[in-house]
Amino acid sequence: MTKTSKLTILLVLALVSIFIALTIGPANISVTELITCLTNECHNSVSKMVVWQVRLPRVLVGLVAGMGLACAGAILQNITRNPLADPYLFGIVSGAGLGATIANLSLANQLTIALPLAAFLGALFAVVIVLLIAKALQRIDQLLLAGIAVSFMLAAITQFILYLGDPFASNRVLFWLMGSLTRVEMSHFTIIFSIVIIALLIILACHRQIDALLLGDESAVSLGVNVDKLRLLMLAVCAALTATIVAYCGGIGFVGLMIPHIVRQLIGVTTLPLIIGSALMGGIFLIWVDVIARTALANAEIPIGIITSAIGSIFFLFIMMKTKSN
Amino acid sequence: MPALLSVEALHWRINNKDILKNISFNVNKGEILGIIGPNGAGKTSLLNCILNHQKSFTGTIKFRAKNVKEYSAKQLAQHFAVVAQKTVPIFQLSVFDVVRMGLLPHKSMFALDSSYDHRQILLAIEKVGLSDLKNNQYNQLSGGEQQRVLVARALVQKAQVLVLDEPTNHLDVYYQHQILQLIKSLNITVIMTIHDLNLAAQYCQRLLLLDQGKIIANDITNNVLEPKQLSQVFKLNCLREQTPNSSFPRVYFQLASDTGSGEKVND
């Protein structure tokens, strides 16, 4: 089967997943009812409200958040040449978490604007620190270790602020850090979707340069690639993607680690099929994880980050064992 | 005919140490130039300056009468293809994937591979004799096969100058000759650093002998591989004999305490 056929299958699966996921949830909505609601001919106002205001934003945000996180992971793994790289392990999520925590506790009244902005600034802050450390060490292979160190440092500061803060606000932040699609709206989808599309365009514009890095820096330089600039640009793209997603959906870890590895095995390692495949598979994965999150417990939701982290940590160990045996 | 590449009064100093001193030479179109010399002589540094990967040198390096510093990195990659000493692949790149990288300097941002590109990649893989392995993983190939894949990438790159840094390192005798024979058969300009002087004698038309950052000799192979000169540079006694039925010489080295047959020249 060609790469194009595999990607087409993934695209169909993504569309089918969106459709089926809209029918699943505490309120019973049949396929026929869903179609009538989506075509705006719905007579049942409750079903209409559930479809348009609850499920559609959730499913669409799940789709684009999964797309963005998987692409960020794939790019980070390629540019750091480390199969274990993931936005979560890179300080980006912790940085976004710190920014969001500060915004949540100090600017509670203007959260709609302040939270994503603060999360984005926090993520950027983390990336700058990681880059400065890596530059000081003069070793790109240390980028991930620097990321983990920065991640722990920023998480410690976040926890300290939460410990000192108002318990109610702290609870809100803690729940947010676990990741959830409960409170997402269509406007969030529009913002994340725009960022994902811009990021995808930048990544696809550089796909050959990113491919060249797969054979080492020296090889990429000989093909005319400005390796330092490319790394910086891609780190900024990953920071923007992750920060925006984390700002609206909270901490959803390990999607960026797992999905690209599966795509590399199933479709290919070069950037073009990897990114398109990761985007589609990441979207499908997060749609279904969210379905589990909202249906697994009878009267409560499981934060989505708990599920992705549970699956991801096992996958992480699996990759480590595989890397060792190779 | 003007030289394809000309290096004039090249000097590179870093950390208060002169790495290259007053280097001047020309490379003509179609010739195979070997850069020889002991470790630390400045061979790889010279390649890095020619490729403009090292920019802090003084003097001028001109490619087709234009200073290399005036070319963009992408333009230089359209003219110079590099076969590095050792590549460090990550993930399971196929032979096809690696050769495909050669398209990079000729493609605009969003350009996809055309069917013509696809044919060029397959032709290049065929030319280096790896058609049967085109879907195999690059990191599971032997060192010699990996070098041939990189030569195929250079062919797709359509460069006019092939630059090789120790292409025979880590290869057994069979693969050493196979890769150099392949390079010779391409009929393009080649600049390579090479440790094995007998391979240099056999495959290079001209040699540049470097020592401590200076050019000691720049001449046709037969004239550079002079025992007296080599003895001084490599600090070993050098013996030379003519290979039977061929035009190139063979050189041998021995420590001063060793004894052996042959023409001992540096007693």
Side-chain angles (χ1 to χ4, degrees), chain B residues 58-91:
Chain B
T58 58
T60 50
I61 300 175
K62 287 182 179 170
F63 175 71
R64 297 207 298 196
K66 184 177 162 185
N67 197 321
V68 290
K69 287 183 177 176
E70 290 170 25
Y71 287 90
S72 69
K74 190 174 175 175
Q75 284 171 332
L76 275 179
Q78 289 169 357
H79 299 301
F80 292 85
V82 181
V83 175
Q85 220 179 96
K86 192 149 176 63
T87 50
V88 198
I90 184 174
F91 305 122

Side-chain angles (χ1 to χ4, degrees), chain A residues 58-69:
Chain A
R58 275 189 86 139
V59 171
L60 290 181
V61 168
L63 175 79
V64 289
M67 286 171 82
L69 290 173

